[in-house]
Amino acid sequence: MADYIWLIPLFPAVGFLINGLFGAWMSKRAISWIACLAVFLSFLASLAVFLEFLKMPAEARIFETNIYTWIAAGELSIPLGFRLDALSLVMSLTVSGVAFLIHVYSIGYMEHDPGFRRFFVELNLFVFMMLTLVTGSNMLLMFVGWEGVGLSSYLLIGFWYEKDSASDAGKKAFIVNRIGDFGFLLGIFLLFLSLGAQGVWTLNFGEIQKNAHLLNGPLVTVITFLFFVGAMGKSAQIPLYVWLPDAMEGPTPVSSLIHAATMVTAGVYMIARMNFLYSMSPDTMMIVAIIGVLTAFYAATIGFAQYDIKKVLAYSTISQLGYMFVAVGVGAYSAGIFHLMTHAFFKGLLFLAAGSVMHAMSGELDLRKMGGLKNKIPITYWTFLIACLAIAGIPGFSGFFSKDEILWKAFSSTNGHLLIWALGALTAGMTAFYMFRLFFGIFHGECRAPEDVKKHIHESPNVMTYPLMILAFLALVGGYVGIPHVLGGSNLFDQFLAPVLGGTHHAVSASASSGFGLISSAWASSAEAVHESSLEMTLMVTSVIIALIGITIAYWLYIRDTKLPGKFTAAFPGLFKVVHNKYYVDEIYDFVFVRGILGLGNLLLKVVDIGIIEGIVNGAGTVTQWTGSQLRKLETGLVQQYALGIIIGAIIVVGYIVFTPIF
């Protein structure tokens, strides 16, 4: 099996090359078949490995193969190698499976676009890079995939480059990601040199894990924090999240694949892959958890006041990514990957369903111009509803199992804290509210679309609705692989990942218990007496109630009494304006960084370049020119003056020779 691991990323690369080199002479049908088949073959290869894994003992489920020595310089030897274990296999199945459905959906969505071939070429390139990222056996190959998905994202976000907004969004994503990638690259350098100082020159994941004990605590903290800087950029966490909402300028399938299901989860995967280093640094893990929960809460508040349906989903993505970082930050790595997988199902579905709504509404994105679409696009309606129930964490849907496990681990693990759990649970209620605000606004009430748009509202073709139905099925049942013990399950997902990520700690932490003491000492003493399973069930019920409250408020405001939202915004116009404008963070960044750097550049241009450097160069030229102009006066062309000069010079020389001995 190890000899064929490389086929998983290879198939999309072949599709990229065939369509890229020969697609200009091929029909759209042939292009789409090649692109879809390439990704489907990657999924089949991943599935074949998974079925083989199930027959093997857990400790034997690691395969690694080296194709050839890629870089050899002194002590450094980097092979072009691939690694498949439980973690990379879950990622490969998720990436290739969801990517295949999105490729199929794109056949209908992009059918009339003049850039049809270019779209599928770039989409195949992205899948190739993402699969390289998750299957690479060393950090350098991971970084190649890391940068490759950044490049693919830039191309796909700016796909409609004729629009300034699209090209600007692509550049913004590229630049912001480069900031994070700089930190990630520094972390790789520092890790390599630190291990090299101990005589271990390697970037292979297995070798790093085997020798991680050679690194001291403060050094590990610096390395893991630098890695997290890279994750903040790629996975859109505070303060490097600003690129993702603008990335909605790309075609909707791009939003679904890159900015919901795959690329933005690369940071979570990277931390899970390096879990053995992060577990050595509680300080970095706490930073990861705090940034994650703050990002989740902050992005959810912005989702309250957006009218662009894709922007609402974009901020929802940022918020859900925050949940994943909470999980890995408290040491619940498998819970973070579990939510990564379920999120790929329901958020990929939400974006594709939003694209179906746009297809029906002639490209309309404004929530205020929708409504009443329930009976006009029924398949989109029901699939959208399933996705909303899943992301809201309603029992029975996939999001319930993964989100609840994160909240439980945030409360109970040794790295968790009551405040992290409380903010996460509150964010869950906020998520339920703004998602059903979106759902009710699109499908219920009266249709607010212009009359010419109303006439053309229709359900999407089968090539678009079939992927919706498959993703809806996965969003419904995908969480049952991780049924927790408290509900009678054995959490098969956690068991599958345990050989790579280790087991998770279930005991109630001191910080969580002491957190109850902040509220009431009576609560703290009673919580200590309650059995762990009872406490987990209590917290589970609490989070569900909070989510139901969010849905109920959304129903009341946008179905029962639709005038209330307008009254609220009228009563608090300043607050609404600030949240609607995303707290003016983009404007602040533009003023401080964009204009600030441009201003600094202009200052350096005037003072250093023009004032000093050009001053010295031009000054030297001016002095030379003046000296020459003065010396030129000696050249008069009169023989008498030259003869006089010769005589005077001769007298001076003779006088010097004659009178020197005297002095």
Side-chain angles (χ1 to χ4, degrees), residues 149-168:
V149 294
L151 170 63
S152 305
S153 175
Y154 163 75
L155 295 172
L156 287 165
I157 293 169
F159 181 78
W160 289 316
Y161 56 85
E162 301 89 351
K163 298 191 301 180
D164 289 340
S165 57
S167 59
D168 289 345

Side-chain angles (χ1 to χ4, degrees), residues 452-537:
D452 59 326
V453 174
K454 288 182 182 179
K455 297 176 182 178
H456 301 287
I457 296 177
H458 59 284
E459 185 61 273
S460 299
N462 291 338
V463 74
M464 294 173 64
T465 55
Y466 285 161
L468 293 182
M469 290 185 282
I470 296 172
L471 284 172
F473 175 76
L474 293 173
L476 178 61
V477 305
Y480 285 90
V481 296
I483 300 176
H485 297 276
V486 72
L487 295 180
S490 57
N491 202 333
L492 297 174
F493 192 84
D494 186 72
Q495 292 181 29
F496 184 71
L497 290 175
V500 182
L501 303 180
T504 52
H505 183 62
H506 294 284
V508 178
S509 67
S511 62
S513 299
S514 63
F516 268 108
L518 296 175
I519 302 174
S520 166
S521 58
W523 280 26
S525 58
S526 63
E528 293 172 356
V530 175
H531 191 270
E532 181 182 334
S533 61
S534 300
L535 178 57
E536 183 177 358
M537 183 65 74

Side-chain angles (χ1 to χ4, degrees), residues 309 312 350 357 366-374 381 384-385 388-389 392 431-448 547-562 565:
I309 61 174
V312 175
L350 282 168
V357 171
D366 195 333
L367 186 61
R368 293 167 293 188
K369 298 180 181 179
M370 298 181 183
L373 302 183
K374 175 182 177 180
Y381 170 82
F384 203 105
L385 175 60
C388 286
L389 291 170
T431 301
F433 169 76
Y434 68 72
M435 287 307 305
F436 275 87
R437 166 184 176 263
L438 183 66
F439 175 75
F440 293 140
I442 294 173
F443 295 104
H444 290 270
E446 296 182 0
C447 184
R448 300 175 292 276
L548 292 174
I549 291 173
I551 296 174
T552 303
I553 295 174
Y555 174 79
W556 191 270
L557 292 178
Y558 298 100
I559 298 295
R560 290 294 301 274
D561 192 349
T562 56

Side-chain angles (χ1 to χ4, degrees), residues 15 32 89 120 123 165 182 196 226 285 287 309 322 326 332 361 369 421 486 494 512 530 556 570 577 599 626 662:
S32 59
L89 183 56
F120 279 99
L123 218 56
S165 57
F182 178 68
L226 288 171
M285 291 183 69
I287 292 173
I309 61 174
V326 169
M361 297 288 293
K369 298 180 181 179
W421 172 85
V486 72
D494 186 72
V530 175
W556 191 270
K577 186 177 180 181
W626 179 85
I662 298 176

Side-chain angles (χ1 to χ4, degrees), residues 165-206:
S165 57
S167 59
D168 289 345
K171 288 184 288 186
K172 184 176 182 179
F174 194 81
I175 292 170
V176 173
N177 273 273
R178 294 295 74 70
I179 296 171
D181 295 350
F182 178 68
F184 187 37
L185 197 57
L186 288 178
I188 294 175
F189 291 158
L190 184 57
L191 176 62
F192 178 73
L193 292 174
S194 301
L195 287 175
Q198 303 297 324
V200 181
W201 298 95
T202 184
L203 286 174
N204 180 274
F205 292 124

